[in-house]
Amino acid sequence: MKKLLGLALISLFVLGGCSQENEVPELIEVKFKTIPETIKVNEEVEVVATVTQGTERVEDADEVKFEIWKEGQTEEQHKKIEAKHTKNGEYKITYVFKETGKYYVISHTTARGMHNMPKNEVIVK
């Protein structure tokens, strides 16, 4: 009985040690913003995705692509634009919204073996 209990405790100890070696990495986070925040029709806007993993800014994303469309448009009308890394985990494009209304922007982000694609809504005045 003592042998069996000792074997069980050793097994738990070994398995407990192994689980720390296989820690799951933190997920990538994508924060969206526009500069300026208030978007006016036919004016240039910076569309920005800031990519982080935990407290670290991700400078090595495999891909950040913005998918932009006006409410009511079909998928064929969506625009997909590759973003460029600038600094501090920020990936940007410059975009001009041609009409007033509600638009959607998905920040398709692939980094460190993960994919995140938050959908945001913007209003163009």
Side-chain angles (χ1 to χ4, degrees), residues 1-123:
M1 182 71 171
K2 287 182 183 181
K3 272 186 173 180
L4 187 58
L5 183 59
L7 187 57
L9 288 174
I10 290 171
S11 296
L12 285 174
F13 178 74
V14 170
L15 290 174
C18 291
S19 68
Q20 290 179 354
E21 291 176 15
N22 296 325
E23 288 184 28
V24 176
E26 291 190 57
L27 297 176
I28 59 168
E29 295 287 329
V30 182
K31 291 195 170 118
F32 171 83
K33 68 179 177 182
T34 61
I35 303 171
E37 283 184 39
T38 302
I39 303 171
K40 296 182 181 174
V41 71
N42 293 320
E43 290 187 9
E44 282 192 351
V45 176
E46 279 190 338
V47 179
V48 182
T50 303
V51 184
T52 58
Q53 186 177 32
T55 59
E56 179 186 358
R57 300 245 177 172
V58 175
E59 307 280 328
D60 59 348
D62 298 317
E63 179 180 66
V64 178
K65 187 181 286 187
F66 292 104
E67 180 178 357
I68 302 172
W69 72 97
K70 187 174 182 187
E71 182 178 46
Q73 288 183 324
T74 64
E75 191 168 340
E76 292 79 32
Q77 295 171 298
H78 294 196
K79 292 181 176 52
K80 293 181 181 172
I81 305 163
E82 185 85 24
K84 301 286 184 215
H85 179 256
T86 56
K87 61 181 179 176
N88 298 324
E90 291 184 345
Y91 297 80
K92 299 180 182 181
I93 63 167
T94 301
Y95 192 77
V96 177
F97 292 88
K98 300 290 186 184
E99 299 177 26
T100 60
K102 183 190 294 185
Y103 287 80
Y104 299 100
V105 181
I106 294 178
S107 308
H108 294 275
T109 306
T110 304
R112 301 179 178 177
M114 296 177 230
H115 188 74
N116 192 341
M117 46 186 278
K119 181 178 178 183
N120 294 277
E121 187 178 296
V122 296
I123 303 297

